[in-house]
Amino acid sequence: MNKNKITIEYDLKNVSPNSVWSYIGSSNGLADWFADKVDCDGRLYTFHWLTSEQSARQTGFLNGVFTRFKWLDDDDPKAYFEFRINVDELTGNVTLEITDFTTEEEKEECIDLWNEQVLTLRRKLGS
């Protein structure tokens, strides 16, 4: 199955990079908006939702900047998902950049899912 890289950027108003990092840089933070529960064993993360779970290996990490994961059940060697914090040097505006891989047929559904997840994150952040 051929997957394409997508990048979605979300403007987060009136938040600090540190507050965003607290939600993307730890299993507890991810459990507040991305999944119902997150277990972490070193670099192995297991994400739990109502009736399912999925495991991913953390393949990249720069404290306060980004974290990258690779789903263990994804056969596409180039596919990953990543959360990255960007700060505009002039305005100080904070954005969350999400990179993911999806098929053309599932692209809209994938974007809709991220939009819903980030809506929850924005509520948690008060953004």
Side-chain angles (χ1 to χ4, degrees):
M1 194 176 305
N2 192 17
K3 292 186 176 182
N4 299 312
K5 180 178 176 179
I6 61 168
T7 302
I8 314 163
E9 196 165 307
Y10 297 94
D11 188 30
L12 302 175
K13 300 196 183 313
N14 304 316
V15 299
S16 72
N18 287 341
S19 62
V20 178
W21 182 251
S22 70
Y23 284 98
I24 68 169
S26 70
S27 57
N28 287 339
L30 289 165
D32 277 344
W33 69 281
F34 180 67
D36 297 325
K37 178 182 170 192
V38 180
D39 295 320
C40 178
D41 184 9
R43 292 189 173 269
L44 180 65
Y45 286 67
T46 303
F47 300 92
H48 303 267
W49 293 276
L50 286 176
T51 59
S52 66
E53 70 178 45
Q54 196 170 7
S55 294
R57 180 160 311 283
Q58 185 182 51
T59 60
F61 176 89
L62 181 57
N63 191 30
V65 179
F66 83 95
T67 186
R68 179 182 290 182
F69 298 93
K70 167 82 173 140
W71 294 119
L72 297 183
D73 61 359
D74 192 338
D75 294 335
D76 187 336
K78 68 180 183 191
Y80 61 88
F81 68 101
E82 178 181 284
F83 305 116
R84 180 176 294 270
I85 299 169
N86 296 315
V87 181
D88 185 288
E89 291 181 24
L90 293 176
T91 65
N93 288 345
V94 176
T95 58
L96 175 62
E97 181 180 295
I98 297 176
T99 301
D100 199 357
F101 285 77
T102 187
T103 62
E104 192 60 38
E105 298 79 28
E106 295 178 348
K107 183 177 179 179
E108 293 249 351
E109 183 180 331
C110 181
I111 291 170
D112 288 346
L113 178 62
W114 283 120
N115 288 343
E116 285 297 315
Q117 297 295 95
V118 172
L119 186 62
T120 302
L121 175 62
R122 282 183 168 142
R123 282 195 299 267
K124 296 284 185 176
L125 288 166
S127 172

